[in-house]
Amino acid sequence: MRLGSETAYRKAQEGWDALLREKGAGEVDFARELFALADVFASAPALVAALEDAARSAHDRAALAQAVVKSKTSGEVEDLTAGLVRERWSESGDLVRAVEKLGVQTLLSGAEREGQLSEVESELYSLRNLLGRERELRTTLSDTRYSLSARKQLTASLLTTLSTYTEELFERALSKTGETSLRSTLADYIEAVGERSEHLVASVTAAIPLTREQEERLAGVLSRQFAADVQIHTTVDTSVIGGVKVLIGSHVIDGTLASRLQEVKEVFRNGR
């Protein structure tokens, strides 16, 4: 989202987080309401265009939103929605994206309240790695020819030890596979956890498992380089041959032997 939309979203998130802290419970139900609302908006582009239309008064936009959500959501989500549509959104669809992100943040707020945020981060990363390793599972869960309930049932039969908040996030990721890949959505959720925990997330790919000492040393180097705390998540992939590849935000640091061999091949291929 551009600056204007990001500002509007941050304002809404701060107020919503304060309300959730005051409530001290109910995050899962609120998140489900927000996800359902995001789905309604996503299926009605004309409605969203009207709700984002800066030519209409903020009062009219709020009244329209309340007419749509009244009796379908809790009073808290109704008030949140009215506040969202009163804001100015930089690009078409940013309102829908904001509602979706607030749903995710609502679940993370619950995990944070129960001291499970680190657990959720680790579980999301494990799920992402599992999908990376198991191509057949990834393909099946991403295949929208199977009903969402069938894919959820398959997930429930395979993944029985996840926290409630991770389960809810994974189910949401499943419902969005027509828009983006499962692994990409999970990566977004992992980044959201890192942002909420006020640390950067570094996805490290190595040929062999790193020792705790190596992870700590790498985290220290990255923390100094990016001037922020960094949480390391490691994936073992023998195809990299040696060295490590680090993905942190939009930055890629590729020190693998495989990448260097590829560079040599490119030199010979180009006749240099």
Side-chain angles (χ1 to χ4, degrees):
M1 290 189 284
R2 290 184 179 176
L3 180 59
S5 292
E6 187 66 26
T7 300
Y9 166 73
R10 293 296 178 190
K11 177 183 174 182
Q13 184 188 352
E14 288 175 9
W16 185 242
D17 274 350
L19 181 143
L20 291 175
R21 286 193 296 270
E22 183 180 324
K23 289 284 181 183
E27 294 90 352
V28 170
D29 289 335
F30 284 139
R32 288 174 178 174
E33 287 186 39
L34 287 165
F35 290 146
L37 181 60
D39 289 341
V40 169
F41 284 168
S43 67
L47 171 62
V48 173
L51 293 173
E52 293 179 330
D53 186 358
R56 300 172 64 123
S57 71
H59 175 77
D60 285 348
R61 297 196 302 271
L64 175 59
Q66 287 176 316
V68 171
V69 305
K70 197 169 185 63
S71 78
K72 298 184 181 68
T73 65
S74 62
E76 291 86 352
V77 171
E78 181 181 337
D79 290 343
L80 173 64
T81 307
L84 284 169
V85 300
R86 286 190 176 98
E87 300 294 336
R88 295 290 185 95
W89 300 95
S90 304
E91 294 184 324
S92 175
D94 277 353
L95 172 62
V96 185
R97 285 183 277 274
V99 173
E100 182 73 29
K101 288 177 69 174
L102 285 167
V104 172
Q105 288 296 331
T106 299
L107 290 173
L108 298 184
S109 177
E112 186 175 42
R113 177 178 57 80
E114 296 191 25
Q116 297 179 14
L117 206 53
S118 294
E119 178 183 353
V120 168
E121 183 176 13
S122 296
E123 289 176 342
L124 289 171
Y125 199 82
S126 295
L127 284 170
R128 189 168 183 271
N129 282 347
L130 174 66
L131 293 171
R133 294 193 307 269
E134 303 294 338
R135 183 177 182 275
E136 186 175 352
L137 175 63
R138 181 176 71 249
T139 301
T140 301
L141 291 177
S142 301
D143 193 340
T144 54
R145 289 177 299 178
Y146 298 110
S147 69
L148 180 58
S149 60
R151 287 181 284 141
K152 285 182 178 180
Q153 188 174 358
L154 173 60
T155 301
S157 68
L158 293 172
L159 310 171
T160 58
T161 60
L162 298 177
S163 72
T164 298
Y165 300 104
T166 306
E167 286 181 1
E168 292 289 330
L169 286 167
F170 192 65
E171 287 192 4
R172 185 56 182 171
L174 281 176
S175 73
K176 294 177 67 61
T177 50
E179 305 169 32
T180 185
S181 75
L182 261 178
R183 295 189 77 232
S184 175
T185 302
L186 292 177
D188 289 342
Y189 293 167
I190 292 167
E191 187 173 332
V193 176
E195 182 180 339
R196 193 170 191 94
S197 303
E198 297 184 339
H199 66 248
L200 297 177
V201 177
S203 297
V204 178
T205 305
I208 59 174
L210 301 182
T211 65
R212 180 176 294 277
E213 181 182 355
Q214 288 172 322
E215 286 191 349
E216 290 176 351
R217 192 183 314 133
L218 179 58
V221 170
L222 293 173
S223 294
R224 289 191 294 274
Q225 182 173 344
F226 289 92
D229 290 338
V230 175
Q231 179 73 43
I232 299 289
H233 290 290
T234 305
T235 300
V236 175
D237 182 354
T238 55
S239 68
V240 303
I241 306 175
V244 295
K245 180 178 180 179
V246 179
L247 176 63
I248 182 166
S250 60
H251 301 276
V252 178
I253 305 170
D254 197 339
T256 63
L257 181 55
S259 70
R260 292 197 291 273
L261 288 174
Q262 184 60 38
E263 290 173 3
V264 172
K265 290 178 183 177
E266 289 294 329
V267 169
F268 282 102
R269 186 178 294 119
N270 295 329
R272 291 180 293 172

